[in-house]
Amino acid sequence: MLFRSAQGCAAPYCGAGETLCVEIELTAAEAIREASVGFFVRDSQDVEVYRCVMERLGGGLVDLAAGESVRAVFPLVANLLPGVYSVGTMVHGRTAAEGMHGRVTIDRTPNRAELIVSGPADAEGSANLFASVRVDRSPSPRTIAMEGAGRGR
């Protein structure tokens, strides 16, 4: 697994809200039907904050013979608050060991890499929604009544 910045440089870090790519390459040790790879992200509290697999994002499924490889590239926007995140990978598919019946999780490896996100710590949690605030202040009804009372005199 590899992280690449928007400029194509390998980098295990990014700024909050920056675009990067997660690249995962799978080489099949044995034949895998309907193979899919994905990744998951955990925060410093070990809470899974994101998970995806290539078929849910439109990448489909692939059949691999032993020794064949597939590389999945996941472009994303790192909408995370500053911190260190653990990124793991997963492989789903059908193999001879499972009798080629149902799709199963063939491999799930947590802590494959760390992603370091930098930026201002102006919120709490893991997701960065890039919120801003607008405050509209209105006078209280009592203030309006008092101002109106002095006009008729």
Side-chain angles (χ1 to χ4, degrees):
M1 182 174 65
L2 179 67
F3 299 113
R4 288 199 185 275
S5 68
Q7 295 77 25
C9 301
Y13 55 86
C14 67
E18 287 184 1
T19 300
L20 73 147
C21 291
V22 175
E23 296 181 14
I24 302 170
E25 186 166 342
L26 166 67
T27 301
E30 62 178 300
I32 305 174
R33 287 185 42 222
E34 299 176 5
S36 174
V37 297
F39 69 97
F40 54 97
V41 180
R42 291 184 175 164
D43 65 14
S44 61
Q45 304 299 311
D46 206 30
V47 173
E48 191 171 283
V49 297
Y50 187 78
R51 176 179 21 157
C52 70
V53 288
M54 63 187 217
E55 75 268 20
R56 290 192 179 174
L57 298 175
L61 301 171
V62 296
D63 292 335
L64 298 172
E68 286 187 322
S69 297
V70 64
R71 183 172 73 106
V73 179
F74 298 88
L76 59 95
V77 177
N79 286 337
L80 298 167
L81 289 176
V84 178
Y85 295 84
S86 168
V87 183
T89 58
M90 56 197 161
V91 178
H92 300 144
R94 301 172 191 255
T95 67
E98 284 79 30
M100 295 286 195
H101 296 296
R103 288 186 73 232
V104 298
T105 300
I106 297 168
D107 181 65
R108 183 176 168 95
T109 305
N111 307 322
R112 180 144 335 243
E114 282 189 343
L115 176 62
I116 301 165
V117 179
S118 62
D122 52 5
E124 297 178 16
S126 296
N128 193 342
L129 303 180
F130 296 96
S132 61
V133 63
R134 185 186 79 228
V135 178
D136 296 324
R137 186 172 177 196
S138 300
S140 71
R142 182 176 172 191
T143 304
I144 294 171
M146 291 175 70
E147 288 175 358
R151 288 191 182 156
R153 294 183 184 186

